[in-house]
Amino acid sequence: MTHKAGFVNIIGNPNVGKSTLSNKLIGERLSIITSKAQTTRHRIFGIVNKEDYQIVFSDTPGVLKPKYKLQESMLHFSKSALADADILLYITDTVETPDKNDEFLNMVKKATVPVLLAINKIDLIQQKELEDLVDFWKKELPEAEIYPLSALHKFNIQNLYDRIVELLPDSPPFFDKDALTDKPERFFVSEIIREKVLLNYQKEIPYSVEVEVEQFKEGEKRHDIRCIIHVSRDSQKGIIIGHQGKALKKLGIDARKEIELFLGKQVYLELYVKVSKDWRDTDNFLKNFGYDQ
């Protein structure tokens, strides 16, 4: 029996549902999902292992024109996704203007590997509008295979998944068959906390936040975790902590519950807030947080 394996790299603009779709395809909640744009900052590999194949999914940051160094790093991640893919999964949806980011689209047009185009959120439009959209994309990316779907309602996901398996090249596995993802547990702890920050606070606060896992002590029954929430300005520190520390306490409770679910263990979570001025434009800081591409 031949074994198949390949890299499927997921690309597209912020908020089109890349993370929701990749999580449905992988079957684990790996990449953080929230309605605020620009939340997946690292290239996360989710790995699906079956007896005769291995799919390595990379969920790349949304394609944004860089405003500061952090976004440059994120765009670099997305561009590198085009370089090392066996299959490109380009995700758009029924809401975004299809011509957004022509420059990136032109890179996809030049791709020499199979391109699968997923049109997500089809539950939000009428059949006629969908037909027009499919026609548009057929002209725009004539080589791509088009899959209208709804990641949220799990509609047409299986067909897309089956096609990915069909397109995988013959290859031995790239990773140990027990591996689920190449990111350590600490990474997911920081992502869960950052997701809760995105959900609990408004406007620009979440984008000025990075979470550092300072201590991760594994016990038999309980993990002790201490994290620092880095913000850019003093005013943001006050907002994160909130009146009498209530906001930080709620953040801690929300995050702890989800971390416990993810790790399958009881967790003692300590959160501290620290002002690290202008961290998004400081190279050393970005290196510490894993943006060293």
Side-chain angles (χ1 to χ4, degrees):
M1 183 171 65
T2 56
H3 189 280
K4 300 169 85 167
F7 284 81
V8 177
N9 291 357
I10 300 175
I11 49 175
N13 285 305
N15 271 13
V16 294
K18 291 192 309 299
S19 293
T20 312
L21 181 58
S22 54
N23 291 329
K24 291 283 190 294
L25 290 167
I26 298 161
E28 282 282 331
R29 200 173 165 289
L30 289 184
S31 192
I32 67 170
I33 305 158
T34 156
S35 64
K36 298 195 177 189
Q38 208 50 38
T39 57
T40 308
R41 297 188 191 174
H42 296 258
R43 288 191 58 193
I44 292 176
F45 288 97
I47 302 168
V48 174
N49 286 310
K50 299 290 180 192
E51 195 182 345
D52 53 346
Y53 64 83
Q54 180 180 76
I55 315 173
V56 184
F57 285 99
S58 134
D59 175 17
T60 58
V63 183
L64 277 190
K65 292 269 189 329
K67 285 195 186 116
Y68 38 75
K69 278 205 167 110
L70 170 62
Q71 285 187 349
E72 272 176 40
S73 175
M74 291 169 83
L75 189 63
H76 173 85
F77 282 142
S78 281
K79 285 184 175 171
S80 68
L82 293 173
D84 64 7
D86 292 299
I87 300 163
L88 275 183
L89 177 53
Y90 186 79
I91 303 180
T92 178
D93 67 11
T94 56
V95 182
E96 74 170 351
T97 49
D99 57 353
K100 198 173 168 186
N101 277 41
D102 288 341
E103 171 200 356
F104 199 77
L105 204 53
N106 286 331
M107 290 164 69
V108 176
K109 283 178 188 172
K110 291 177 192 146
T112 53
V113 296
V115 177
L116 303 179
L117 179 85
I119 303 174
N120 192 20
K121 306 182 189 175
I122 60 167
D123 47 305
L124 301 181
I125 59 166
Q126 301 301 314
Q127 183 68 28
K128 175 72 180 83
E129 289 173 279
L130 179 58
E131 285 165 10
D132 293 345
L133 202 51
V134 168
D135 286 343
F136 170 86
W137 282 111
K138 275 182 179 160
K139 290 190 188 86
E140 199 67 22
L141 290 172
E143 301 295 314
E145 294 177 32
I146 298 174
Y147 286 82
L149 53 84
S150 168
L152 199 59
H153 298 286
K154 297 186 183 173
F155 175 76
N156 212 19
I157 306 272
Q158 192 60 46
N159 290 333
L160 175 63
Y161 181 89
D162 293 345
R163 183 61 180 141
I164 288 169
V165 174
E166 277 174 21
L167 288 169
L168 288 175
D170 289 347
S171 164
F174 293 98
F175 295 94
D176 175 4
K177 291 289 270 228
D178 290 336
L180 177 66
T181 174
D182 76 339
K183 296 275 179 189
E185 287 179 336
R186 294 169 79 110
F187 172 76
F188 288 108
V189 165
S190 67
E191 288 289 271
I192 287 166
I193 293 167
R194 207 163 62 82
E195 178 184 31
K196 298 307 172 197
V197 172
L198 284 160
L199 293 171
N200 279 307
Y201 300 92
Q202 290 307 307
K203 304 248 165 80
E204 98 280 19
I205 283 279
Y207 302 105
S208 328
V209 160
E210 188 58 86
V211 179
E212 178 189 0
V213 179
E214 195 184 44
Q215 180 189 314
F216 192 103
K217 269 168 82 175
E218 297 184 32
E220 212 171 301
K221 291 189 176 161
R222 188 183 85 176
H223 288 0
D224 290 356
I225 302 171
R226 185 167 66 238
C227 297
I228 298 169
I229 297 170
H230 291 275
V231 293
S232 309
R233 296 195 295 278
D234 289 318
S235 58
Q236 293 165 342
K237 179 176 178 178
I239 293 167
I240 296 275
I241 292 170
H243 180 59
Q244 295 176 337
K246 283 180 183 159
L248 186 63
K249 188 176 180 186
K250 180 180 184 304
L251 173 67
I253 290 167
D254 289 357
R256 180 181 54 77
K257 284 178 184 163
E258 184 137 344
I259 293 166
E260 286 181 336
L261 269 175
F262 180 75
L263 296 175
K265 281 265 171 77
Q266 274 194 318
V267 166
Y268 175 70
L269 179 65
E270 287 180 277
L271 296 179
Y272 297 92
V273 186
K274 184 177 174 185
V275 178
S276 303
K277 292 204 182 347
D278 300 325
W279 69 264
R280 293 185 295 188
D281 283 323
T282 311
D283 283 343
N284 281 347
F285 240 83
L286 290 176
K287 280 198 172 64
N288 284 346
F289 292 122
Y291 303 107
D292 55 350
Q293 295 294 312

